[in-house]
Amino acid sequence: DIQMTQSPSSLSAAVGDRVTITCQASQHISNYLNWFQHKPGTAPKLLIFDASSLEAGVPSRFSGSGYGTDFTFTISSLQPGDIATYFCQQYDNLPYTFGQGTQLEIK
Amino acid sequence: QVQLQESGPGLVKPSQTLSLTCTVSGGSISSNSFYWNWIRQPAGKGLEWIGRIYTSGTANYNPSLESRVTVSVDTSKNQFFLRLSSVTAADTAVYYCATGDYFEYWGQGTLVTVSS
């Protein structure tokens, strides 16, 4: 299985801050990586697919980059509604695997 | 817009079989070229992909669960199903169904507790 190492596991930032989360794959996955936002009691929401493509309707303050094994997810200016858990997912190989998640809080 | 809704018992006894249904609305299982997936998340842990099925009935499973898992589909009811046998407390989790080209469609999840 491909291991996805996501960091940090939790993050506290102020409104307006730039927030960065990283995911490292245990082997090359090309750009086959998703980023999701998950709020308690709701369905996970796809934000970024193919490592850097913004899902329709997602604000442009969310972005992703990377290729191969190292990936980055960025919120350019944190908003109060962005409080959630964020996680990455690789879909290069079965079984699909996920990062452990980053719990984002407002400082 | 495809919508998914999980349903099934919230409590299953150890050694029994967990059975869940994912009902699809806003689109037909048979007319979409998607794989239909099951994923779970134990409390305080990360997400685990369980398995998937295609409209043709071809299924793939996580090797860690393959001996106990069956995913099936009923296109006439626009539903797909998860069966997990011989459950233990370690199978207690929120179970999600999901689909799409990039997992863009998810259900809200259903908590299944394994306990006597």
Side-chain angles (χ1 to χ4, degrees), chain B residues 21-34:
Chain B
T21 298
C22 184
T23 300
V24 179
S25 60
S28 168
I29 283 183
S30 57
S31 64
N32 279 295
S33 59
F34 296 151

Side-chain angles (χ1 to χ4, degrees), chain B residues 87-102:
Chain B
V87 296
T88 70
D91 296 310
T92 294
V94 176
Y95 286 76
Y96 298 94
C97 52
T99 192
D101 291 320
Y102 300 101

Side-chain angles (χ1 to χ4, degrees), chain B residues 1-20:
Chain B
Q1 176 84 353
V2 173
Q3 294 183 307
L4 306 174
Q5 179 67 59
E6 305 89 350
S7 60
L11 181 64
V12 181
K13 288 181 167 51
S15 80
Q16 293 190 342
T17 296
L18 179 161
S19 296
L20 295 176

Side-chain angles (χ1 to χ4, degrees), chain A residues 2-73:
Chain A
I2 297 175
Q3 305 303 314
M4 302 301 296
T5 303
Q6 184 174 341
S7 62
S9 57
S10 64
L11 178 58
S12 182
V15 172
D17 279 357
R18 183 181 185 87
V19 169
T20 299
I21 299 168
T22 63
C23 245
Q24 184 172 60
S26 60
Q27 64 187 68
H28 184 99
I29 59 168
S30 185
N31 66 332
Y32 298 129
L33 185 96
N34 286 335
W35 289 98
F36 294 89
Q37 177 191 68
H38 193 195
K39 298 182 179 181
T42 69
K45 179 182 179 182
L46 176 68
L47 301 178
I48 303 287
F49 63 95
D50 285 348
S52 61
S53 296
L54 193 68
E55 173 70 348
V58 173
S60 59
R61 65 178 181 275
F62 297 101
S63 65
S65 64
Y67 182 85
T69 60
D70 295 303
F71 301 87
T72 300
F73 172 79

Side-chain angles (χ1 to χ4, degrees), chain A residues 1 34 36 38 41-46 49-50 55 85 87-89 91 94-101, chain B residues 35 37 39 41 44-49 52 60-64 96 101-109:
Chain A
D1 298 5
N34 286 335
F36 294 89
H38 193 195
T42 69
K45 179 182 179 182
L46 176 68
F49 63 95
D50 285 348
E55 173 70 348
T85 297
F87 60 89
C88 60
Q89 178 217 4
Y91 49 95
L94 294 179
Y96 300 136
T97 49
F98 298 85
Q100 286 297 301
Chain B
Y35 280 94
N37 298 269
I39 296 144
Q41 185 171 31
K45 296 187 177 182
L47 291 145
E48 179 181 35
W49 179 79
R52 69 181 188 179
N60 305 102
Y61 302 117
N62 193 319
S64 68
Y96 298 94
D101 291 320
Y102 300 101
F103 283 75
E104 61 267 37
Y105 307 113
W106 291 65
Q108 291 196 328

